Amino acid sequence: MELVVGIVAPDQPPETSPTCNSFGKKASLSPSDSTSSQLPPRPLNSWVLFSRDFIKSYKADHPEIHGLRSATMAAAEAWKAMSLEEKSSYNNQAKDAWEQYKSKTPRPPSPPKSKREILQTRCSPGRFLSVLKKLTVEQKVAVENVGFGSLLGIRCETLRRGLCQWLLERFDPARCCLHIDGKRIYITVRDVELVMGLPSSGHKVVTSGPDGAIAEMRRYYSAAPDDGGNSSISTGISLGLLEKQLETQEAGDEFKRSFALFALGTILCPTAKGEASPKFLHSLRKTDDIPKYNWAQFVLDRLLRETSRFHQGKQRAVGGCLLFLKFFFYEHTTIGGPSTFVPNLNVPRLLAWGEMEISERERKYREIGGYDFAEVVVEMDMGIQGPGQTSQEDIIPTGTADVGVRRHPTPEYGAIDDVLERLKNIEAQIQSLKGLESQIQELKDLICKKFNEQR
């Protein structure tokens, strides 16, 4: 498993003009955009100050090493191993530079208040979390078995619709990237796996096939055609019905299928109607095959489709996994000022964001004037990728606050990448076993209790 920390490189000007959006239409600059473009460069944070000195010294001591990858990885390990006292000189430098920056830089004016339409979406982490709290130990083990075990760690109850609407307005579905802080942050299927913990390899999720193959399941979920099969008009699968079934079903195939439908309908791929699509049943027919699908790719594709419809104004309610989009933004931005960032290898990243952490981050955004003034400074590469996928470009720090060098994969790293991939698989298995340890103990206690009762 690999972690590369760095500064996101500035993007090149669009092919059309600086005032054109991704659809070729003229886009007027908002007051916040014009103000932020006139502000002086932000000072370096403590990590960048340290990495700049370290990489310079490391390259002098290792002239045989070409490129910045090894030096950056060594810098990350050294920074992580340093004590707070050892970091104090860099933290103080960053703090002093930040104080000077604040004293010389005028506070950006607050944008004029407008009657903004509230985003409508069916993505409901609170509803999903309420079901998680009622699951038994046996049911949680069943969720692990279908490959959705990472979702058991969700601690977020609210979606923050204002932030989601702000992100949707800056999301380019054609290029699959966010336009933030004058930069493009590209989103890949590996990011979905990193943040949500969903598998990013395997078979393509199937959403079509013979109607007869899922006819019985559609009737089970009351999603059969209205006239019993003679009409092309059919109803979706009610999330309320799924909630009731999850409370009463044993941890068997029906429970696994119902949980997958509920997860897809509430947070992963919610539809504009607030129902789980019956088309999902084509990939849920055999529960043993559920973990073999590339769910990360499916979630990303649905998000791109729904975002495209949002920009085109084709539907009022926005579907897709907006929860992932929110977590992705939190993970790739920081608040201006000195930073004591320490590389973190814990995945999936959704585990890090509960209501307390989200509220604290939102408070900091408000203090600096809003999301427009968040700084893109960190990009993580955990070495997660599926078969046939190319590695995401590594962002290497160069010693400036907003400039980076992109490293493309080269043949000499092939053997190393193979080893890292194997290490990643081993660590994923270890993490999975650790997560199941407490659940297995509870299951043992439950079995002993029932055995004693029968005796």
Side-chain angles (χ1 to χ4, degrees):
M1 181 171 290
E2 175 188 357
L3 176 66
V4 177
V5 183
I7 311 303
V8 175
D11 194 20
Q12 298 296 326
E15 293 78 358
T16 52
S17 70
T19 57
C20 291
N21 59 22
S22 59
F23 301 100
K25 299 178 181 179
K26 291 185 178 180
S28 59
L29 294 174
S30 64
S32 60
D33 293 334
S34 60
T35 303
S36 59
S37 64
Q38 297 172 3
L39 294 177
R42 297 178 181 178
L44 307 182
N45 59 37
S46 54
W47 154 249
V48 175
L49 291 170
F50 167 77
S51 63
R52 180 180 59 181
D53 295 343
F54 184 94
I55 291 175
K56 182 178 180 180
S57 175
Y58 188 89
K59 293 182 67 177
D61 296 338
H62 301 80
E64 74 282 1
I65 296 179
H66 302 285
L68 295 173
R69 175 174 181 168
S70 298
T72 303
M73 293 179 64
E77 291 297 330
W79 179 257
K80 186 176 181 180
M82 290 172 62
S83 64
L84 292 177
E85 183 178 357
E86 292 173 325
K87 296 178 181 178
S88 60
S89 60
Y90 295 102
N91 291 335
N92 291 336
Q93 291 180 48
K95 184 177 181 180
D96 293 341
W98 179 247
E99 293 299 331
Q100 294 180 12
Y101 174 82
K102 289 197 300 183
S103 63
K104 296 180 180 180
T105 306
R107 186 174 181 83
S110 300
K113 294 183 178 180
S114 60
K115 294 183 179 179
R116 195 180 194 182
E117 185 177 354
I118 300 176
L119 175 69
Q120 297 184 28
T121 177
R122 302 296 185 179
C123 188
S124 179
R127 188 172 189 175
F128 181 76
L129 186 60
S130 65
V131 169
L132 290 186
K133 294 177 179 178
K134 301 176 184 178
L135 297 182
T136 65
V137 176
E138 296 92 334
Q139 289 175 329
K140 291 179 180 179
V141 173
V143 173
E144 293 275 0
N145 292 337
V146 295
F148 286 177
S150 62
L151 302 182
L152 296 174
I154 285 182
R155 300 187 295 124
C156 170
E157 297 185 35
T158 56
L159 190 60
R160 304 284 176 172
R161 300 193 179 204
L163 170 60
C164 290
Q165 180 164 344
W166 184 85
L167 290 171
L168 286 172
E169 292 169 351
R170 287 154 181 80
F171 190 17
D172 183 350
R175 295 186 175 93
C176 195
C177 67
L178 284 168
H179 294 268
I180 299 176
D181 193 24
K183 309 172 184 70
R184 287 179 187 168
I185 313 180
Y186 290 91
I187 301 176
T188 69
V189 65
R190 297 172 61 227
D191 293 312
V192 180
E193 181 177 11
L194 172 63
V195 174
M196 303 300 294
L198 299 174
S200 63
S201 61
H203 304 298
K204 181 180 180 181
V205 176
V206 180
T207 57
S208 62
D211 292 337
I214 60 171
E216 184 177 348
M217 289 187 292
R218 293 188 68 146
R219 286 191 291 270
Y220 178 80
Y221 291 108
S222 301
D226 292 334
D227 61 358
N230 297 323
S231 173
S232 60
I233 302 176
S234 62
T235 59
I237 300 174
S238 168
L239 297 179
L241 173 63
L242 292 173
E243 283 179 303
K244 295 179 181 178
Q245 290 178 341
L246 291 173
E247 292 179 1
T248 58
Q249 289 174 336
E250 298 292 334
D253 288 343
E254 293 299 343
F255 169 81
K256 294 176 181 179
R257 192 176 294 113
S258 296
F259 183 87
L261 285 169
F262 188 72
L264 291 167
T266 53
I267 58 173
L268 299 180
C269 300
T271 64
K273 296 181 180 180
E275 302 170 329
S277 173
K279 295 181 180 180
F280 297 154
L281 291 172
H282 288 286
S283 293
L284 304 178
R285 293 169 54 196
K286 298 180 180 179
T287 57
D288 291 340
D289 292 340
I290 295 178
K292 300 177 183 178
Y293 287 105
N294 189 339
W295 291 106
Q297 184 68 63
F298 183 65
V299 168
L300 182 58
D301 290 342
R302 283 301 178 107
L303 179 62
L304 293 175
R305 187 189 73 173
E306 294 296 321
T307 305
S308 179
R309 290 181 176 180
F310 169 79
H311 283 286
Q312 296 171 15
K314 290 185 176 181
Q315 58 190 34
R316 296 183 61 187
V318 182
C321 190
L322 300 184
L323 188 64
F324 159 74
L325 204 58
K326 182 180 76 169
F327 289 154
F328 182 84
F329 174 71
Y330 288 157
E331 287 291 325
H332 285 73
T333 58
T334 188
I335 308 302
S339 171
T340 56
F341 173 78
V342 176
N344 194 330
L345 298 178
N346 294 327
V347 291
R349 296 307 300 151
L350 62 85
L351 301 175
W353 297 102
E355 288 302 307
M356 182 176 67
E357 293 82 4
I358 292 174
S359 298
E360 177 63 18
R361 176 61 68 90
E362 291 289 329
R363 180 186 66 81
K364 292 181 179 180
Y365 287 137
R366 291 193 296 271
E367 287 180 352
I368 64 172
Y371 304 121
D372 288 295
F373 302 99
E375 186 175 6
V376 179
V377 296
V378 178
E379 179 147 333
M380 297 187 296
D381 184 354
M382 307 297 289
I384 300 176
Q385 64 185 65
Q389 296 174 348
T390 57
S391 298
Q392 189 180 23
E393 296 171 333
D394 298 331
I395 307 302
I396 309 297
T398 61
T400 57
D402 58 355
V403 179
V405 177
R406 294 183 181 270
R407 178 191 65 77
H408 294 270
T410 53
E412 61 262 32
Y413 294 117
I416 297 177
D417 289 340
D418 290 340
V419 174
L420 292 175
E421 181 68 18
R422 294 183 182 181
L423 289 176
K424 185 268 294 185
N425 293 332
I426 294 173
E427 182 163 352
Q429 294 175 11
I430 294 174
Q431 293 294 336
S432 177
L433 291 175
K434 287 182 178 180
L436 287 175
E437 183 177 356
S438 61
Q439 299 178 13
I440 292 174
Q441 185 60 46
E442 292 180 12
L443 184 58
K444 287 181 178 179
D445 295 340
L446 180 62
I447 293 174
C448 291
K449 180 180 178 181
K450 291 185 177 180
F451 178 77
N452 292 331
E453 291 176 353
Q454 291 178 359
R455 294 182 59 185

PDB file of all heavy atoms in Angstrom, residues 2 30 69 91 94 101-102 141 159 168 192 209 215-216 224 240 253 277 300 365 368 416 424:
ATOM      1  N   GLU A   2       0.521   2.208  -0.819  1.00  0.00           N
ATOM      2  CA  GLU A   2       1.394   3.347  -1.042  1.00  0.00           C
ATOM      3  C   GLU A   2       0.636   4.639  -0.781  1.00  0.00           C
ATOM      4  O   GLU A   2      -0.532   4.760  -1.104  1.00  0.00           O
ATOM      5  CB  GLU A   2       1.884   3.306  -2.493  1.00  0.00           C
ATOM      6  CG  GLU A   2       2.710   4.503  -2.892  1.00  0.00           C
ATOM      7  CD  GLU A   2       2.989   4.472  -4.377  1.00  0.00           C
ATOM      8  OE1 GLU A   2       2.583   3.500  -5.017  1.00  0.00           O
ATOM      9  OE2 GLU A   2       3.592   5.420  -4.882  1.00  0.00           O
ATOM     10  N   SER A  30     -18.178  34.926 -10.439  1.00  0.00           N
ATOM     11  CA  SER A  30     -18.840  35.387  -9.234  1.00  0.00           C
ATOM     12  C   SER A  30     -17.899  36.303  -8.468  1.00  0.00           C
ATOM     13  O   SER A  30     -16.694  36.311  -8.688  1.00  0.00           O
ATOM     14  CB  SER A  30     -19.212  34.188  -8.355  1.00  0.00           C
ATOM     15  OG  SER A  30     -18.042  33.538  -7.932  1.00  0.00           O
ATOM     16  N   ARG A  69       9.819  10.261  -6.606  1.00  0.00           N
ATOM     17  CA  ARG A  69       8.950   9.341  -5.873  1.00  0.00           C
ATOM     18  C   ARG A  69       9.601   8.835  -4.595  1.00  0.00           C
ATOM     19  O   ARG A  69       9.020   8.914  -3.513  1.00  0.00           O
ATOM     20  CB  ARG A  69       8.574   8.168  -6.774  1.00  0.00           C
ATOM     21  CG  ARG A  69       7.768   7.104  -6.050  1.00  0.00           C
ATOM     22  CD  ARG A  69       7.285   6.047  -7.000  1.00  0.00           C
ATOM     23  NE  ARG A  69       6.497   5.038  -6.300  1.00  0.00           N
ATOM     24  CZ  ARG A  69       5.762   4.131  -6.878  1.00  0.00           C
ATOM     25  NH1 ARG A  69       5.674   4.119  -8.179  1.00  0.00           N
ATOM     26  NH2 ARG A  69       5.093   3.246  -6.186  1.00  0.00           N
ATOM     27  N   ASN A  91       6.436  24.202  12.009  1.00  0.00           N
ATOM     28  CA  ASN A  91       5.112  24.707  12.369  1.00  0.00           C
ATOM     29  C   ASN A  91       5.162  26.199  12.675  1.00  0.00           C
ATOM     30  O   ASN A  91       4.261  26.962  12.293  1.00  0.00           O
ATOM     31  CB  ASN A  91       4.565  23.943  13.574  1.00  0.00           C
ATOM     32  CG  ASN A  91       4.230  22.506  13.244  1.00  0.00           C
ATOM     33  OD1 ASN A  91       3.958  22.174  12.096  1.00  0.00           O
ATOM     34  ND2 ASN A  91       4.248  21.639  14.236  1.00  0.00           N
ATOM     35  N   ALA A  94       5.521  28.182   9.445  1.00  0.00           N
ATOM     36  CA  ALA A  94       4.246  28.241   8.734  1.00  0.00           C
ATOM     37  C   ALA A  94       3.272  29.178   9.434  1.00  0.00           C
ATOM     38  O   ALA A  94       2.529  29.923   8.788  1.00  0.00           O
ATOM     39  CB  ALA A  94       3.653  26.839   8.631  1.00  0.00           C
ATOM     40  N   TYR A 101       0.458  36.747   6.235  1.00  0.00           N
ATOM     41  CA  TYR A 101      -0.460  36.686   5.093  1.00  0.00           C
ATOM     42  C   TYR A 101      -1.817  37.279   5.474  1.00  0.00           C
ATOM     43  O   TYR A 101      -2.407  38.057   4.714  1.00  0.00           O
ATOM     44  CB  TYR A 101      -0.611  35.234   4.656  1.00  0.00           C
ATOM     45  CG  TYR A 101      -1.639  35.011   3.566  1.00  0.00           C
ATOM     46  CD1 TYR A 101      -1.345  35.231   2.230  1.00  0.00           C
ATOM     47  CD2 TYR A 101      -2.918  34.553   3.884  1.00  0.00           C
ATOM     48  CE1 TYR A 101      -2.279  35.012   1.226  1.00  0.00           C
ATOM     49  CE2 TYR A 101      -3.865  34.336   2.890  1.00  0.00           C
ATOM     50  CZ  TYR A 101      -3.538  34.574   1.564  1.00  0.00           C
ATOM     51  OH  TYR A 101      -4.468  34.353   0.588  1.00  0.00           O
ATOM     52  N   LYS A 102      -2.328  36.912   6.646  1.00  0.00           N
ATOM     53  CA  LYS A 102      -3.633  37.427   7.076  1.00  0.00           C
ATOM     54  C   LYS A 102      -3.597  38.927   7.313  1.00  0.00           C
ATOM     55  O   LYS A 102      -4.578  39.640   7.025  1.00  0.00           O
ATOM     56  CB  LYS A 102      -4.077  36.705   8.346  1.00  0.00           C
ATOM     57  CG  LYS A 102      -4.474  35.264   8.141  1.00  0.00           C
ATOM     58  CD  LYS A 102      -5.274  34.724   9.312  1.00  0.00           C
ATOM     59  CE  LYS A 102      -4.489  34.784  10.601  1.00  0.00           C
ATOM     60  NZ  LYS A 102      -5.253  34.196  11.727  1.00  0.00           N
ATOM     61  N   VAL A 141     -22.457  -9.878   9.661  1.00  0.00           N
ATOM     62  CA  VAL A 141     -21.569 -10.829   9.001  1.00  0.00           C
ATOM     63  C   VAL A 141     -22.031 -11.087   7.570  1.00  0.00           C
ATOM     64  O   VAL A 141     -21.215 -11.184   6.638  1.00  0.00           O
ATOM     65  CB  VAL A 141     -21.508 -12.150   9.791  1.00  0.00           C
ATOM     66  CG1 VAL A 141     -20.717 -13.208   9.021  1.00  0.00           C
ATOM     67  CG2 VAL A 141     -20.888 -11.923  11.163  1.00  0.00           C
ATOM     68  N   LEU A 159     -26.386  15.113   5.032  1.00  0.00           N
ATOM     69  CA  LEU A 159     -25.757  15.190   3.713  1.00  0.00           C
ATOM     70  C   LEU A 159     -25.099  16.537   3.446  1.00  0.00           C
ATOM     71  O   LEU A 159     -24.185  16.620   2.640  1.00  0.00           O
ATOM     72  CB  LEU A 159     -26.803  14.910   2.629  1.00  0.00           C
ATOM     73  CG  LEU A 159     -26.255  14.710   1.214  1.00  0.00           C
ATOM     74  CD1 LEU A 159     -25.297  13.536   1.166  1.00  0.00           C
ATOM     75  CD2 LEU A 159     -27.388  14.508   0.221  1.00  0.00           C
ATOM     76  N   LEU A 168     -21.817  20.090  -7.054  1.00  0.00           N
ATOM     77  CA  LEU A 168     -22.438  19.733  -8.328  1.00  0.00           C
ATOM     78  C   LEU A 168     -22.237  20.832  -9.366  1.00  0.00           C
ATOM     79  O   LEU A 168     -22.031  20.554 -10.556  1.00  0.00           O
ATOM     80  CB  LEU A 168     -23.925  19.465  -8.130  1.00  0.00           C
ATOM     81  CG  LEU A 168     -24.297  18.149  -7.443  1.00  0.00           C
ATOM     82  CD1 LEU A 168     -25.782  18.117  -7.132  1.00  0.00           C
ATOM     83  CD2 LEU A 168     -23.916  16.962  -8.313  1.00  0.00           C
ATOM     84  N   VAL A 192     -13.313   6.031  -5.485  1.00  0.00           N
ATOM     85  CA  VAL A 192     -14.545   5.493  -4.901  1.00  0.00           C
ATOM     86  C   VAL A 192     -14.215   4.343  -3.947  1.00  0.00           C
ATOM     87  O   VAL A 192     -14.785   4.234  -2.867  1.00  0.00           O
ATOM     88  CB  VAL A 192     -15.514   5.017  -6.001  1.00  0.00           C
ATOM     89  CG1 VAL A 192     -16.794   4.458  -5.386  1.00  0.00           C
ATOM     90  CG2 VAL A 192     -15.849   6.156  -6.955  1.00  0.00           C
ATOM     91  N   GLY A 209     -31.628  -7.602 -18.732  1.00  0.00           N
ATOM     92  CA  GLY A 209     -31.695  -9.033 -18.979  1.00  0.00           C
ATOM     93  C   GLY A 209     -33.133  -9.465 -19.186  1.00  0.00           C
ATOM     94  O   GLY A 209     -34.060  -8.631 -19.194  1.00  0.00           O
ATOM     95  N   ALA A 215     -38.635 -11.991 -12.510  1.00  0.00           N
ATOM     96  CA  ALA A 215     -40.078 -11.800 -12.301  1.00  0.00           C
ATOM     97  C   ALA A 215     -40.491 -12.166 -10.880  1.00  0.00           C
ATOM     98  O   ALA A 215     -41.262 -11.442 -10.232  1.00  0.00           O
ATOM     99  CB  ALA A 215     -40.860 -12.632 -13.314  1.00  0.00           C
ATOM    100  N   GLU A 216     -40.000 -13.287 -10.385  1.00  0.00           N
ATOM    101  CA  GLU A 216     -40.376 -13.715  -9.043  1.00  0.00           C
ATOM    102  C   GLU A 216     -39.861 -12.746  -7.983  1.00  0.00           C
ATOM    103  O   GLU A 216     -40.571 -12.418  -7.028  1.00  0.00           O
ATOM    104  CB  GLU A 216     -39.824 -15.118  -8.778  1.00  0.00           C
ATOM    105  CG  GLU A 216     -40.250 -15.686  -7.430  1.00  0.00           C
ATOM    106  CD  GLU A 216     -39.759 -17.101  -7.222  1.00  0.00           C
ATOM    107  OE1 GLU A 216     -39.281 -17.721  -8.209  1.00  0.00           O
ATOM    108  OE2 GLU A 216     -39.836 -17.588  -6.081  1.00  0.00           O
ATOM    109  N   ALA A 224     -43.685  -5.563  -9.433  1.00  0.00           N
ATOM    110  CA  ALA A 224     -44.110  -6.151 -10.695  1.00  0.00           C
ATOM    111  C   ALA A 224     -44.904  -5.125 -11.491  1.00  0.00           C
ATOM    112  O   ALA A 224     -45.390  -4.130 -10.943  1.00  0.00           O
ATOM    113  CB  ALA A 224     -44.957  -7.395 -10.432  1.00  0.00           C
ATOM    114  N   GLY A 240     -39.326   1.871   2.075  1.00  0.00           N
ATOM    115  CA  GLY A 240     -40.032   1.559   3.311  1.00  0.00           C
ATOM    116  C   GLY A 240     -40.253   0.062   3.465  1.00  0.00           C
ATOM    117  O   GLY A 240     -40.115  -0.498   4.566  1.00  0.00           O
ATOM    118  N   ASP A 253     -30.088 -15.344   2.111  1.00  0.00           N
ATOM    119  CA  ASP A 253     -30.018 -14.741   0.781  1.00  0.00           C
ATOM    120  C   ASP A 253     -30.979 -13.567   0.622  1.00  0.00           C
ATOM    121  O   ASP A 253     -30.633 -12.549   0.017  1.00  0.00           O
ATOM    122  CB  ASP A 253     -30.302 -15.797  -0.293  1.00  0.00           C
ATOM    123  CG  ASP A 253     -29.156 -16.788  -0.445  1.00  0.00           C
ATOM    124  OD1 ASP A 253     -28.048 -16.473   0.034  1.00  0.00           O
ATOM    125  OD2 ASP A 253     -29.370 -17.857  -1.035  1.00  0.00           O
ATOM    126  N   SER A 277     -34.188   0.816  -7.828  1.00  0.00           N
ATOM    127  CA  SER A 277     -34.574   0.394  -9.170  1.00  0.00           C
ATOM    128  C   SER A 277     -34.650  -1.128  -9.267  1.00  0.00           C
ATOM    129  O   SER A 277     -33.725  -1.830  -8.836  1.00  0.00           O
ATOM    130  CB  SER A 277     -33.560   0.917 -10.193  1.00  0.00           C
ATOM    131  OG  SER A 277     -33.822   0.395 -11.474  1.00  0.00           O
ATOM    132  N   LEU A 300     -19.709   5.249  -9.603  1.00  0.00           N
ATOM    133  CA  LEU A 300     -19.158   6.420 -10.283  1.00  0.00           C
ATOM    134  C   LEU A 300     -19.909   6.714 -11.574  1.00  0.00           C
ATOM    135  O   LEU A 300     -20.213   7.872 -11.879  1.00  0.00           O
ATOM    136  CB  LEU A 300     -17.673   6.197 -10.568  1.00  0.00           C
ATOM    137  CG  LEU A 300     -16.939   7.355 -11.244  1.00  0.00           C
ATOM    138  CD1 LEU A 300     -17.039   8.621 -10.412  1.00  0.00           C
ATOM    139  CD2 LEU A 300     -15.478   6.996 -11.494  1.00  0.00           C
ATOM    140  N   TYR A 365     -14.776  26.151   7.377  1.00  0.00           N
ATOM    141  CA  TYR A 365     -15.104  26.716   6.065  1.00  0.00           C
ATOM    142  C   TYR A 365     -15.810  28.055   6.223  1.00  0.00           C
ATOM    143  O   TYR A 365     -15.554  29.005   5.480  1.00  0.00           O
ATOM    144  CB  TYR A 365     -15.985  25.751   5.271  1.00  0.00           C
ATOM    145  CG  TYR A 365     -15.271  24.531   4.722  1.00  0.00           C
ATOM    146  CD1 TYR A 365     -15.852  23.280   4.803  1.00  0.00           C
ATOM    147  CD2 TYR A 365     -14.026  24.642   4.118  1.00  0.00           C
ATOM    148  CE1 TYR A 365     -15.203  22.152   4.298  1.00  0.00           C
ATOM    149  CE2 TYR A 365     -13.369  23.528   3.615  1.00  0.00           C
ATOM    150  CZ  TYR A 365     -13.967  22.286   3.703  1.00  0.00           C
ATOM    151  OH  TYR A 365     -13.318  21.187   3.208  1.00  0.00           O
ATOM    152  N   ILE A 368     -13.424  31.053   7.043  1.00  0.00           N
ATOM    153  CA  ILE A 368     -12.580  31.611   5.980  1.00  0.00           C
ATOM    154  C   ILE A 368     -13.396  32.235   4.853  1.00  0.00           C
ATOM    155  O   ILE A 368     -12.831  32.730   3.884  1.00  0.00           O
ATOM    156  CB  ILE A 368     -11.638  30.538   5.396  1.00  0.00           C
ATOM    157  CG1 ILE A 368     -12.445  29.421   4.723  1.00  0.00           C
ATOM    158  CG2 ILE A 368     -10.728  29.973   6.465  1.00  0.00           C
ATOM    159  CD1 ILE A 368     -11.577  28.433   3.954  1.00  0.00           C
ATOM    160  N   ILE A 416       7.876  -3.151  -8.567  1.00  0.00           N
ATOM    161  CA  ILE A 416       7.490  -2.565  -7.289  1.00  0.00           C
ATOM    162  C   ILE A 416       5.975  -2.509  -7.164  1.00  0.00           C
ATOM    163  O   ILE A 416       5.407  -2.809  -6.107  1.00  0.00           O
ATOM    164  CB  ILE A 416       8.090  -1.147  -7.161  1.00  0.00           C
ATOM    165  CG1 ILE A 416       9.612  -1.239  -7.157  1.00  0.00           C
ATOM    166  CG2 ILE A 416       7.598  -0.475  -5.889  1.00  0.00           C
ATOM    167  CD1 ILE A 416      10.307   0.105  -7.108  1.00  0.00           C
ATOM    168  N   LYS A 424      -1.038  -4.774  -0.595  1.00  0.00           N
ATOM    169  CA  LYS A 424      -2.372  -4.165  -0.414  1.00  0.00           C
ATOM    170  C   LYS A 424      -3.421  -5.227  -0.150  1.00  0.00           C
ATOM    171  O   LYS A 424      -4.276  -5.087   0.718  1.00  0.00           O
ATOM    172  CB  LYS A 424      -2.719  -3.352  -1.661  1.00  0.00           C
ATOM    173  CG  LYS A 424      -4.021  -2.553  -1.565  1.00  0.00           C
ATOM    174  CD  LYS A 424      -5.222  -3.312  -2.089  1.00  0.00           C
ATOM    175  CE  LYS A 424      -5.111  -3.554  -3.577  1.00  0.00           C
ATOM    176  NZ  LYS A 424      -6.343  -4.199  -4.104  1.00  0.00           N
TER     177      LYS A 424
END
